[in-house]
Amino acid sequence: MICIKNIKPYEQIEQEEIERLKAAHVLRARLQYEKKPLFRGYTDKLLYVDLADSKIRIDDIPGQVKEKFIGGKGYCLRYLWDAVTPETRWNSPENAIVMSAGPIGGITQYPGAGKTLVCTISPTTDIPIDSNVGGYFGPFLKFSGFDALELIGKADKDVIIFIDGNKGTISIEEAPLEAGDAHILCEQLTLMYSDDEADRKNVAVVTAGSAADHVNISMLNFSFYDPNRKVVRLKQAGRGGIGRVFRDKRIRALVCKFSGIKADLNKPHNMSILNKTGLKFHREMHDLDGKQNNMRKIGTANIIEVMDAYDLLPTHNFKFGSHKDIDKIKSTVFIEKYLTQGAPDGCWYGCSMACAKAADHFLLKSGPYKGQRVCVDGPEYENAAGLGSNCGVMDAEAILELNFYCDTYGIDTISYGTCTAFAMECYENGILNKERTGGLELTFGNIEADFELIHQMGRGEGFGVIVGMGVKKMKEYFIKKFGADPAFLNDIGMEQKGLEYSEYLSKESLAQQGGYGLTNKGPQHDEAWLIFMDQVNNQIPTFEDKAEALHYFPMFRTWFGLMGLCKLPWNDIVPADNSKTAEPAKVPEHVQNYLDVYEAVTGTKITVDEMIKQSERVYNFQRIFNIRMGKGLRVNDASPYRAMGPVTEEEYLSREERYDKQLRELQGLDPEKMTLREKMDSTRRYRYEQYNRMTDAVYKRRGWTQNGVPTPEKLKELEMELPELLEVVNQVLSN
């Protein structure tokens, strides 16, 4: 096992090189401002940057926006709505990127409070995408005086936006020479904008990567400097192609500098409550982490073998739920051989969960950095499952290498894994061949082909650009260019609303099918992860039970996005007596913690119902935003059948005993008297019926029509009967 005390420092870029890069910068605009102090978590200021004419402006955030939208994701969606029209697409100049940390974001007393929410119109979904990311940029932006940042327009040359929160300056600088790959660029800019080594921890960078110039499934890296390793590390705003929009605007990077992190920077209402609540959780983490999840040793990848054991680990494009070689990539392999132990690995100050693990001095075997030793942030569970088992890559070092290149090229690991697995199944079925892929033999488990594919994305070449379009656009391309069967591709193409599925097998969990399919942005598990409640523990057996869960949990998790919080401290470690509570899945003690933290920061005491109402306002706003952009109806909530049941004979036969038993017990049929095709068809009909009945129940619980539209009555109940929302709702209801 590798310990942090035995890790030698990373080599730094030569200062002469930094000076050369800096000398090439050309100042386009500069604003000196007087920073408004925070009060109870807010500055009530928005930083607005129009890249087309290098315009910098500071706007007041109206009281109604603060009341209705709270912060974080709410602010992002509100300002994005105001920036765009129904005709706006991802590469339209008026498309905005909006970032906000929320009122609780930046506190150091309670774990997981350093998150930033980022929204834009997505190149893969054509509707608003939101992504939740760690790193220091969001809190630094807030402490520099801004509750949100809005970026619109397109620059004609690559630019860096630099915010110095201590000096009160904002500048836009042409930056012609900086690197394209994120791990180098973030190092360059951290050194460039810091005064000395001790000052590096006060610089945070946001950038994409070289692939963001070429592929839709690109993301943003948010940096933080790790003084133990003496290296810049990266966290990702991964979903929906935000990095593609970022680079289309010719933004090379955002840089925010702020020194003087203290416990009271949010100017909270009651520091005593804040300290007391945080201390209680820190004790739980200390006492229970080793007994429950080992998050401080492995991070979220602690569940790899657990998912495999419960037949939930996506394997070969979600065909199967387990893999015979799971021992090669289980969590203990990463703990014992690769991930450095004994470091305070939080992505923001004060996080005792410390789940941001890293593999230090990892030797790369391919690509432009072959032979170099690098710091790999990960793997998260999603990376291990998506880059690993879903593509048949049961090799820990290959997963870490792909993880690194996804990060530095700026490619979403979830989308990359799901896209590559889809391409591999297409290859397996003859839709693709070596001629069509430019020589890539994309069979499951072919590591060399996988490596070449990701490097093609980084270079903007070959078949990698096709895969980088995303599953939805790949399906369209394969149908048009190769005459592929649309029905088969729609069955196996694991996307919905244009977003690739995250890495959980949902076939045997109807609630999780809804947790993916009935989301606003597409199939991402951050809204509702209900597999264990539903499939394993059978805690929500009826449609009404599932509907209640698919109301409460998406709203509760939305609240994290409003506040600038990470969801992991809520339920990955639970109190010792949590199982004895009336609703253990909700972890009621931790819910109360959040209510206490909210009161401590903002001075406003709320109940659980009021917490859910805050989220409902923003959630319904986003649903109507989707409708405004041409989606957001029932037809858009349909799922690919692979997420619901066995598409191929191979799938059915791999779990034939299970499926035959379900035919007997659930449908009253005798599988002995049925052909394989008849059994598969009957299973499909039944599962579609169940999904539709659940959808009916969820829409009813959420106060929507059976077409998925929030009703005017629901908006009135939420005090969200805003004219612009009623206009959209009434128009679709009248059609």
Side-chain angles (χ1 to χ4, degrees):
M1 195 173 294
I2 307 166
C3 294
I4 191 68
K5 64 182 180 180
N6 299 322
I7 294 298
K8 65 180 182 179
Y10 283 80
E11 294 181 6
Q12 297 293 339
I13 299 168
E14 293 290 336
Q15 190 60 36
E16 288 183 7
E17 172 67 5
I18 299 300
E19 294 301 327
R20 184 182 72 87
L21 299 175
K22 191 172 184 179
H25 285 201
V26 177
L27 183 66
R28 284 196 161 191
R30 182 181 175 89
L31 176 69
Q32 185 83 38
Y33 69 99
E34 185 175 344
K35 184 171 63 177
K36 181 183 176 184
L38 274 86
F39 179 68
R40 296 185 177 181
Y42 291 95
T43 67
D44 299 321
K45 297 290 183 181
L46 168 94
L47 175 58
Y48 174 95
V49 179
D50 186 339
L51 293 147
D53 59 8
S54 298
K55 181 179 179 181
I56 306 169
R57 191 177 75 213
I58 298 173
D59 295 339
D60 292 328
I61 295 176
Q64 186 192 51
V65 172
K66 183 177 180 178
E67 175 192 356
K68 305 280 189 194
F69 295 91
I70 307 299
K73 177 178 173 178
Y75 279 9
C76 292
L77 289 168
R78 173 72 263 185
Y79 282 99
L80 182 61
W81 173 293
D82 292 341
V84 305
T85 72
E87 289 72 41
T88 298
R89 293 298 173 257
W90 71 270
N91 56 353
S92 301
E94 72 273 12
N95 185 20
I97 300 173
V98 193
M99 304 179 183
S100 176
I104 294 177
I107 66 169
T108 59
Q109 293 85 354
Y110 201 87
K115 291 289 191 171
T116 308
L117 273 291
V118 190
C119 293
T120 195
I121 300 298
S122 163
T124 63
T125 69
D126 299 314
I127 55 177
I129 190 72
D130 59 273
S131 205
N132 179 313
V133 58
Y136 289 5
F137 185 86
F140 281 5
L141 176 71
K142 182 176 176 179
F143 299 146
S144 297
F146 307 106
D147 287 339
L149 167 64
E150 180 179 355
L151 306 164
I152 71 159
K154 298 185 184 185
D156 59 348
K157 296 181 180 179
D158 284 354
V159 297
I160 290 170
I161 300 166
F162 174 49
I163 305 160
D164 190 321
N166 296 109
K167 294 180 178 178
T169 61
I170 305 159
S171 62
I172 303 175
E173 306 168 12
E174 289 181 20
L177 302 181
E178 273 76 3
D181 291 337
H183 78 291
I184 296 178
L185 178 58
C186 288
E187 288 278 358
Q188 290 173 338
L189 298 182
T190 299
L191 269 64
M192 183 182 297
Y193 289 101
S194 58
D195 298 333
D196 51 37
E197 183 176 323
D199 194 37
R200 291 173 191 166
K201 68 179 184 298
N202 302 320
V203 177
V205 180
V206 178
T207 190
S210 53
D213 290 319
H214 317 296
V215 303
N216 290 339
I217 59 170
S218 56
M219 52 78 172
L220 291 180
N221 288 285
F222 280 56
S223 82
F224 65 102
Y225 184 75
D226 186 333
N228 293 298
R229 294 173 171 86
K230 299 187 185 302
V231 67
V232 175
R233 298 180 57 193
L234 307 175
K235 303 302 290 182
Q236 292 72 37
R239 309 301 343 254
I242 301 173
R244 183 77 155 133
V245 182
F246 191 84
R247 285 298 298 140
D248 182 65
K249 294 183 177 299
R250 298 294 297 271
I251 306 171
R252 179 57 71 193
L254 310 176
V255 182
C256 191
K257 182 176 181 179
F258 184 85
S259 61
I261 297 299
K262 299 186 297 183
D264 65 346
L265 286 181
N266 266 289
K267 290 297 181 284
H269 165 67
N270 191 317
M271 185 68 80
S272 176
I273 295 176
L274 203 52
N275 289 336
K276 180 181 178 181
T277 308
L279 182 60
K280 179 172 63 172
F281 184 88
H282 291 316
R283 286 172 176 161
E284 280 183 5
M285 177 59 62
H286 176 272
D287 295 342
L288 300 175
D289 176 62
K291 300 175 183 177
Q292 293 185 10
N293 289 329
N294 270 335
M295 293 289 286
R296 290 190 289 178
K297 288 186 177 181
I298 179 65
T300 60
N302 68 306
I303 60 172
I304 297 169
E305 55 267 38
V306 177
M307 295 298 102
D308 182 87
Y310 283 102
D311 203 32
L312 296 169
L313 184 74
T315 302
H316 291 198
N317 194 33
F318 297 86
K319 278 196 287 188
F320 315 117
S322 61
H323 197 287
K324 63 182 178 59
D325 293 327
I326 188 62
D327 284 351
K328 295 180 180 179
I329 65 165
K330 63 184 180 181
S331 63
T332 51
V333 172
F334 292 101
I335 292 172
E336 293 168 3
K337 292 186 177 182
Y338 302 106
L339 299 186
T340 307
Q341 303 296 315
D345 281 326
C347 62
W348 178 241
Y349 293 96
C351 187
S352 53
M353 181 158 277
C355 67
K357 309 311 295 182
D360 283 294
H361 296 283
F362 180 79
L363 181 64
L364 296 172
K365 298 177 181 177
S366 72
Y369 306 106
K370 181 179 180 179
Q372 294 187 23
R373 291 190 178 273
V374 296
C375 178
V376 185
D377 277 275
E380 303 284 353
Y381 163 75
E382 300 289 335
N383 303 352
L387 305 174
S389 60
N390 209 18
C391 296
V393 175
M394 307 304 284
D395 183 304
E397 292 192 1
I399 290 169
L400 286 168
E401 181 136 348
L402 290 165
N403 192 154
F404 170 80
Y405 275 114
C406 276
D407 289 352
T408 198
Y409 289 156
I411 301 168
D412 174 22
T413 52
I414 294 174
S415 285
Y416 178 83
T418 299
C419 286
T420 303
F422 171 71
M424 286 175 168
E425 186 166 4
C426 288
Y427 195 97
E428 185 181 75
N429 282 274
I431 297 164
L432 299 176
N433 53 40
K434 288 178 95 172
E435 180 182 356
R436 291 173 176 176
T437 64
L440 295 178
E441 190 174 0
L442 288 176
T443 55
F444 286 112
N446 188 335
I447 294 171
E448 294 307 314
D450 208 345
F451 283 176
E452 177 57 25
L453 188 71
I454 199 167
H455 298 316
Q456 287 184 0
M457 289 188 190
R459 299 190 301 264
E461 297 174 1
F463 196 70
V465 175
I466 304 300
V467 177
M469 295 189 302
V471 170
K472 184 176 188 296
K473 289 180 171 59
M474 263 196 288
K475 290 191 297 185
E476 296 166 357
Y477 184 86
F478 295 167
I479 291 165
K480 181 178 179 180
K481 291 282 288 185
F482 308 139
D485 177 12
F488 180 66
L489 292 192
N490 287 330
D491 275 350
I492 69 166
M494 291 298 284
E495 62 83 19
Q496 194 239 34
K497 300 182 177 75
L499 186 69
E500 287 74 29
Y501 271 70
S502 67
E503 309 300 333
Y504 296 97
L505 200 74
S506 58
K507 292 177 185 175
E508 300 309 314
S509 172
L510 182 60
Q512 187 56 44
Q513 293 167 29
Y516 276 138
L518 306 181
T519 57
N520 277 327
K521 66 184 174 187
Q524 172 69 0
H525 58 282
D526 63 348
E527 275 199 21
W529 192 85
L530 301 175
I531 287 176
F532 265 64
M533 284 184 69
D534 188 36
Q535 179 176 333
V536 178
N537 298 326
N538 195 30
Q539 293 170 299
I540 44 176
T542 69
F543 289 113
E544 290 72 23
D545 293 333
K546 289 175 172 57
E548 183 59 37
L550 284 165
H551 171 72
Y552 174 84
F553 287 103
M555 300 312 146
F556 179 62
R557 288 179 173 224
T558 292
W559 197 80
F560 292 123
L562 303 183
M563 298 297 153
L565 292 166
C566 173
K567 76 92 183 168
L568 293 179
W570 158 53
N571 71 339
D572 279 45
I573 301 298
V574 301
D577 62 351
N578 185 65
S579 62
K580 300 175 183 177
T581 62
E583 297 181 288
K586 294 182 177 180
V587 196
E589 180 183 307
H590 288 176
V591 175
Q592 185 59 50
N593 286 354
Y594 288 113
L595 298 178
D596 293 342
V597 167
Y598 181 76
E599 178 188 359
V601 173
T602 68
T604 302
K605 189 178 183 66
I606 61 173
T607 65
V608 174
D609 288 343
E610 289 165 331
M611 169 195 274
I612 298 302
K613 188 173 183 179
Q614 287 180 338
S615 295
E616 277 194 280
R617 287 172 176 155
V618 174
Y619 196 90
N620 281 268
F621 180 86
Q622 187 172 3
R623 182 72 175 192
I624 296 169
F625 201 159
N626 286 355
I627 296 171
R628 181 191 185 213
M629 301 306 293
K631 294 188 179 180
L633 301 177
R634 188 180 186 115
V635 65
N636 307 116
D637 288 343
S639 295
Y641 185 60
R642 174 62 61 74
M644 303 165 66
V647 173
T648 66
E649 292 184 358
E650 178 188 22
E651 279 172 87
Y652 192 100
L653 293 173
S654 73
R655 295 289 184 270
E656 185 173 22
E657 184 178 346
R658 172 197 293 166
Y659 295 134
D660 283 357
K661 181 180 179 182
Q662 291 172 354
L663 287 171
R664 292 188 188 93
E665 295 181 354
L666 300 178
Q667 299 189 63
L669 301 174
D670 184 356
E672 299 296 328
K673 298 179 180 179
M674 303 170 71
T675 66
L676 178 57
R677 186 74 262 166
E678 288 171 337
K679 292 193 291 185
M680 291 176 64
D681 289 345
S682 184
T683 297
R684 181 185 285 245
R685 285 192 298 271
Y686 179 79
R687 293 194 175 205
Y688 273 132
E689 177 195 6
Q690 294 291 295
Y691 186 82
N692 281 321
R693 290 180 66 186
M694 179 189 62
T695 300
D696 291 343
V698 172
Y699 285 174
K700 180 179 179 181
R701 177 63 185 88
R702 291 181 178 177
W704 298 353
T705 71
Q706 288 304 292
N707 197 23
V709 181
T711 64
E713 293 77 18
K714 183 63 179 179
L715 295 178
K716 184 176 181 180
E717 174 193 323
L718 297 174
E719 302 169 72
M720 285 292 283
E721 63 270 40
L722 304 176
E724 60 268 36
L725 300 187
L726 290 171
E727 180 183 1
V728 173
V729 166
N730 288 330
Q731 182 177 2
V732 73
L733 291 179
S734 65
N735 290 337

